[in-house]
Amino acid sequence: MVSSPHEAMHRIFQDHPGLFSRVSEVLGIDFTPPTSVTVLPTDLTEARPLERRVDTLLRLETEDDEPLLLAVEAQGKKDPDKPASWAYYASYLLTKYRLQPLLLLVCQDRATAEWAARPVSFGPPQWPLLTLRPLVAGPHNMPVLTDPAEVRKDLALATLSAITHVKHRDIGAILKAVTTVLRDTPHPIADPIVELIAQGLGKHPAAEMWRNLVAVDLSFYKSYISEEIRDEGRTEGEMRRAAKDVLTVLAARGIHVPDQVRERITNCDDPETLDQWLIRAATAPTAEEIFADE
C-alpha cells in the first residue's frame, strides 16, 4: 500500500476537480465555480537539463471569468528554497499557457501552513519586482467534520479535512464520521476515498485508527486498498499471537525473560523467525538462547 500524505494532499484535486470551489469558499475567497476542469501535464521542465514538476495542475473553466490555472502543491515542512520554485511555476505557467496562475498549498502541519501563507517579495526591498501570495489549506483553516451529516454534504472536502487534521485531537471522531457515511456510499465513490485517506494519514498514529475502522465499519468492501488494510490488520494480529506463544512457552518452563529479549520478540514481524523461536523456546536453557545462530 502506498503511504504518501504528499501524494494524497494534491491527488484529491485530480480525483475531485470541483473540490477547489469548496476549498476557496472555506478560505473566504470568491471564485466563480468552474463549468469544466482539465487535468494538465505537470512537467514544467525547460529545454536545458533542469527538471521541475508541480504536483497537480488543473485548468478551470468558468461561465463568467477567464479560465485560470490551478497548481496544487503538498508542502510537508518549511523550506526556504520553495518560494523561488513557486515563483518559477507561476511565471512559467503564465508564459506557456497565457492564463492567470493560482497556487494552492496543502499542509498537515499548522506551523508549516502559517509559514507558507506569508507573502514573499522578490527584488530589492525599496522596489520589489513581484510578490508571491499562495492560497494555503491546512489544519489552521480546514473545517473539523465530526458529524456524519456534514461529511455527507461533501465527501471530497471531508476527505481533505481528514488528511489535513491528521494530528488533531479529534481525529478519531473525524475518521469515524467518514466511515459512517462510506458504509452506504456506492463503491466507485467510496473506494478511492478509502485509498486517499490511507495514503494521506501516512505513518501517523491516526493511520492505525483508519485501518481498524475500515476493517470493522467497512468489512463488506472488496476494494484493493480495503482488502490490503484488512490483510495488514490480520497479519499484525497473527504476529502478536505468535510472539505471545513464544513468551508463553518460556514462562511455562520457568525461564526468565529479560526486558530486551521480550522487546525483541514482541517487535518481530517475520513469521518464519517467530516459528523458529517458538521451536527453540521449548528446549532453550535461557531466553537468550532462542536467538542462537542469528
Side-chain angles (χ1 to χ4, degrees):
M1 177 179 65
V2 176
S3 180
S4 172
H6 183 281
E7 184 75 9
M9 283 192 285
H10 72 84
R11 207 191 81 195
I12 186 174
F13 288 89
Q14 296 180 25
D15 292 356
H16 301 272
L19 176 59
F20 175 68
S21 291
R22 278 95 77 189
V23 171
S24 63
E25 289 176 10
V26 172
L27 300 179
I29 302 172
D30 184 23
F31 286 104
T32 304
T35 54
S36 67
V37 178
T38 305
V39 179
L40 299 176
T42 59
D43 190 347
L44 308 184
T45 306
E46 298 183 65
R48 59 185 179 179
L50 175 64
E51 183 176 332
R52 297 181 188 269
R53 292 181 183 272
V54 67
D55 288 337
T56 285
L57 182 60
L58 305 174
R59 174 179 171 138
L60 308 183
E61 307 279 353
T62 69
E63 290 183 349
D64 304 324
D65 300 329
E66 290 291 324
L68 62 85
L69 294 175
L70 174 64
V72 184
E73 283 276 291
Q75 189 63 31
K77 61 182 180 180
K78 298 177 183 179
D79 183 348
D81 294 331
K82 269 295 186 178
S85 295
W86 298 334
Y88 171 88
Y89 297 162
S91 60
Y92 180 89
L93 292 173
L94 179 61
T95 301
K96 179 176 181 178
Y97 292 100
R98 297 299 174 181
L99 294 174
Q100 294 303 320
L102 184 66
L103 175 64
L104 173 64
L105 306 176
V106 184
C107 307
Q108 292 179 305
D109 176 71
R110 185 184 183 93
T112 300
E114 292 176 345
W115 163 81
R118 292 179 297 185
V120 179
S121 294
F122 297 90
Q126 58 271 44
W127 193 268
L129 176 63
L130 61 89
T131 299
L132 185 74
R133 295 184 61 206
L135 290 174
V136 179
H140 66 305
N141 57 16
M142 287 293 97
V144 177
L145 303 177
T146 58
D147 183 352
E150 292 299 315
V151 171
R152 198 179 302 277
K153 292 178 182 178
D154 195 331
L155 261 173
L157 182 63
T159 300
L160 181 65
S161 173
I163 292 171
T164 55
H165 288 296
V166 63
K167 301 176 184 178
H168 196 280
R169 63 181 181 275
D170 292 330
I171 185 61
I174 294 170
L175 297 177
K176 178 64 177 178
V178 175
T179 57
T180 298
V181 173
L182 291 181
R183 291 180 67 176
D184 57 6
T185 300
H187 287 242
I189 298 174
D191 290 348
I193 287 176
V194 172
E195 180 182 356
L196 274 169
I197 293 180
Q199 289 180 329
L201 300 181
K203 297 182 179 180
H204 291 281
E208 179 68 18
M209 299 181 193
W210 184 243
R211 285 194 293 268
N212 293 336
L213 285 168
V214 169
V216 175
D217 290 358
L218 307 179
S219 58
F220 48 85
Y221 276 136
K222 300 299 181 183
S223 70
Y224 170 80
I225 190 68
S226 58
E227 283 296 301
E228 194 169 73
I229 290 172
R230 281 193 290 277
D231 288 344
E232 183 177 337
R234 284 193 290 267
T235 301
E236 290 177 354
E238 291 168 0
M239 294 303 98
R240 287 194 294 269
R241 286 191 293 274
K244 184 178 179 181
D245 289 344
V246 175
L247 295 172
T248 298
V249 170
L250 292 172
R253 295 182 57 229
I255 303 294
H256 172 67
V257 182
D259 290 342
Q260 63 269 27
V261 174
R262 183 180 301 275
E263 182 178 357
R264 183 174 175 182
I265 293 171
T266 56
N267 289 339
C268 180
D269 59 2
D270 180 34
E272 292 185 3
T273 298
L274 287 167
D275 286 343
Q276 283 283 358
W277 291 350
L278 180 60
I279 294 171
R280 294 173 185 168
T283 58
T286 67
E288 290 84 355
E289 284 295 316
I290 70 169
F291 307 136
D293 301 326
E294 294 182 11

